[in-house]
Amino acid sequence: MSHRPFSMLAVALGAMGLMACPPKPVIEAPRTPVPSTGTSSCPADPAWLTSSTLPSEVPGNQQTACNFEQFMWQSMLALVQPASGDPTRLQFETWMPSYGIFIKDGTPTPWGQEPPTSCGSIQKASATTGKTPRVYSDITKQAGSEQPLIDLKGEFVYYGMSVNQSEYTMLTACQLYKANCAGPLKPGNKGIDLISKYPNLSLPDTAVELKTSWMVLDDAGAASGLFYVVPGIIQYKGGPCRQVNLGLTGMHIVSKTPNFPAMIWATFEHRNNAPDCSNTSAPPPLGGSWNFYNPKCTTCTTNTYQPGTPAQVCRMHPDGDSATGTFPGGDDCTADPNQFACQDNTRKLLAESTAAINAINSSVQALIQANPTRINKVWANYELVGNVWTVGKTLPPYLQAQAGSLSAANTSMETFVQNGVAGVNNTYSCLSCHNMQGPTNSQYLPPVGLSHLFDSVQMPGGCSDGSLPATCNAYLNSP
């Protein structure tokens, strides 16, 4: 699901999803079985509709796919609650964007303050619209492909990344925004040899990272009621700053908990983003038109970047099910039943994950629609499309230890790499790239290296004595 380079929305693209990273050799090890759920029921809790409390751990016995889908939908609904102290913003809109941490000089923006941008403050209301922007982004390239997604109106999709307070505190306490302190966390960077000196350097158990994707909306789109809409400022390649209406099209949520040191990687999408590649004649579920698919185009090639041309997007593996959907060269499970995704036990686990995702999406959407006074009904227009994690606290997160949506991808963030950067026909998801890969295939980064935020490190120096600051000691002992 993620990549290198991610932002509040943010900006310095770096953190989650698929990515152009060289694969490590597959580690052959016994797969820890995930017991069957035996049911397609996965109910949402009505209390989530008004609770701003993020869950701290996966509920229940942590052995059913449903437990993980519940954890992530509860997280999503908590993030879209009004922020404490500022009801004009949602909770996730108050988190620190990556461009407020990874700066060229000075110090990171203090928590709770709005960081400056190259367009100035985004807190000032527009002189023409009177609206106060909530999002700034100048990122258009997707992680992994390093290519932009162009919508059907010819506008780029913009991306942002942010972190919660506990992760912000760790990054600043360890001064990982400085090149010498970050060391190999940024590919090709010099500095402290964290691999040998701090092998257990880790994010706190309450860390959460977000990545968002935003579509520029015209007046009709902004008034349609289909999207969560905010006034935003966008900037393309250092050019003029534009204030526009932005519609949310996707969100990655990556959460670390005590029982999941490799983190839990989930992705949500607008339900009208794109049809399944196996059923492109399907109508958009919310009515209207698809966000990134034109059914009238008979010459368009799907999921292929063409400069200056709107993309024709479809979903290759619905719900991240690696054994179903569309495969490169048609090499599906009929062609190669021995590939990992096609083995009986793997297919059973994938099917259970898919059933749980579909069940909880239906449950949440029904709850929202039945309670319009408790939560904005627009959130029924979004759905969970993938969720992947490792079992047994496994680090590094090798394939056989993964569970959930083994081919999780977001059509608005991993459009062109839904089968991996090499068009692999086996499983490929967030953890394929966020794998703690070190400078060589024989090296692994410390657990903090699961995040790719550090691609955004700009500030030179730091840690001149060859050690991380004493304020980082709390994050050194346990993954």
Side-chain angles (χ1 to χ4, degrees):
M1 145 181 27
S2 186
H3 334 41
R4 280 195 183 278
F6 184 168
S7 165
M8 194 174 196
L9 301 180
V11 90
L13 192 63
M16 312 168 231
L18 299 175
M19 153 84 197
C21 50
K24 273 191 177 289
V26 173
I27 301 174
E28 296 297 337
R31 181 181 178 84
T32 303
V34 179
S36 170
T37 61
T39 177
S40 60
S41 174
C42 190
D45 187 336
W48 299 348
L49 298 181
T50 54
S51 174
S52 59
T53 302
L54 286 164
S56 59
E57 190 54 273
V58 178
N61 58 20
Q62 300 177 6
Q63 293 186 336
T64 70
C66 176
N67 295 150
F68 292 87
E69 318 315 349
Q70 289 171 325
F71 176 88
M72 275 307 177
W73 253 118
Q74 182 181 359
S75 298
M76 174 67 167
L77 292 174
L79 290 169
V80 301
Q81 300 297 319
S84 176
D86 185 359
T88 67
R89 290 176 180 254
L90 302 185
Q91 181 171 193
F92 80 96
E93 294 172 336
T94 65
W95 287 13
M96 184 60 69
S98 57
Y99 62 83
I101 303 171
F102 299 98
I103 56 179
K104 292 182 180 179
D105 50 38
T107 57
T109 301
W111 181 264
Q113 295 183 22
E114 194 73 39
T117 76
S118 57
C119 295
S121 173
I122 68 168
Q123 291 182 317
K124 296 180 180 178
S126 165
T128 55
T129 67
K131 296 180 179 179
T132 301
R134 299 186 191 177
V135 176
Y136 165 81
S137 179
D138 63 356
I139 299 299
T140 58
K141 290 184 178 180
Q142 293 189 350
S145 67
E146 292 297 307
Q147 296 165 336
L149 173 58
I150 302 175
D151 70 19
L152 301 182
K153 294 182 173 65
E155 291 274 9
F156 291 114
V157 171
Y158 285 80
Y159 301 95
M161 177 171 170
S162 58
V163 302
N164 71 342
Q165 189 170 5
S166 68
E167 181 161 344
Y168 167 89
T169 300
M170 182 271 180
L171 296 174
T172 53
C174 296
Q175 296 183 13
L176 295 179
Y177 55 88
K178 297 181 179 180
N180 199 48
C181 301
L185 296 177
K186 179 175 181 176
N189 187 40
K190 304 299 182 182
I192 296 178
D193 181 8
L194 299 176
I195 295 173
S196 60
K197 194 165 186 177
Y198 300 106
N200 291 325
L201 179 63
S202 179
L203 295 173
D205 285 340
T206 52
V208 184
E209 295 183 359
L210 301 181
K211 185 174 182 179
T212 49
S213 61
W214 301 87
M215 191 177 168
V216 177
L217 299 178
D218 57 21
D219 290 343
S224 68
L226 293 176
F227 300 89
Y228 175 66
V229 182
V230 298
I233 293 177
I234 56 175
Q235 188 178 29
Y236 181 67
K237 291 187 175 180
C241 300
R242 296 169 55 198
Q243 182 160 338
V244 296
N245 286 314
L246 293 173
L248 183 67
T249 54
M251 180 184 287
H252 290 330
I253 304 176
V254 182
S255 302
K256 186 170 183 284
T257 76
N259 287 328
F260 295 93
M263 302 195 283
I264 305 167
W265 303 71
T267 187
F268 292 79
E269 285 195 42
H270 192 267
R271 294 171 64 192
N272 270 13
N273 270 2
D276 296 343
C277 297
S278 59
N279 187 20
T280 55
S281 63
L286 302 176
S289 59
W290 292 107
N291 296 334
F292 306 114
Y293 183 84
N294 178 10
K296 295 181 180 179
C297 185
T298 59
T299 59
C300 294
T301 302
T302 57
N303 303 330
T304 302
Y305 173 67
Q306 296 178 328
T309 303
Q312 185 79 332
V313 183
C314 62
R315 188 181 312 281
M316 300 186 73
H317 299 289
D319 304 307
D321 188 336
S322 309
T324 64
T326 303
F327 295 75
D331 292 332
D332 59 13
C333 289
T334 301
D336 183 6
N338 293 318
Q339 60 179 303
F340 182 74
C342 300
Q343 295 170 13
D344 288 344
N345 188 51
T346 308
R347 295 192 71 165
K348 178 182 178 182
L349 298 176
L350 287 165
E352 291 173 355
S353 173
T354 295
I357 287 175
N358 289 331
I360 198 165
N361 281 340
S362 296
S363 180
V364 170
Q365 289 156 12
L367 268 180
I368 293 173
Q369 290 164 349
N371 293 274
T373 62
R374 300 182 69 191
I375 191 170
N376 188 338
K377 66 179 181 180
V378 76
W379 298 114
N381 296 345
Y382 294 84
E383 62 185 354
L384 179 66
V385 297
N387 194 7
V388 63
W389 58 91
T390 61
V391 295
K393 297 188 176 183
T394 302
L395 286 171
Y398 57 82
L399 177 60
Q400 289 83 358
Q402 294 174 26
S405 311
L406 300 183
S407 285
N410 188 302
T411 59
S412 68
M413 298 192 205
E414 289 96 26
T415 307
F416 311 110
V417 290
Q418 294 183 55
N419 271 303
V421 295
V424 296
N425 63 344
N426 212 317
T427 58
Y428 198 96
S429 71
C430 316
L431 292 172
S432 302
C433 186
H434 294 264
N435 54 17
M436 297 166 56
Q437 167 108 24
T440 70
N441 280 343
S442 62
Q443 294 177 304
Y444 286 102
L445 297 170
V448 70
L450 285 162
S451 173
H452 289 171
L453 274 170
F454 307 102
D455 290 8
S456 303
V457 169
Q458 303 178 67
M459 186 185 298
C463 300
S464 57
D465 64 351
S467 299
L468 292 171
T471 50
C472 191
N473 289 346
Y475 307 101
L476 302 182
N477 298 321
S478 173

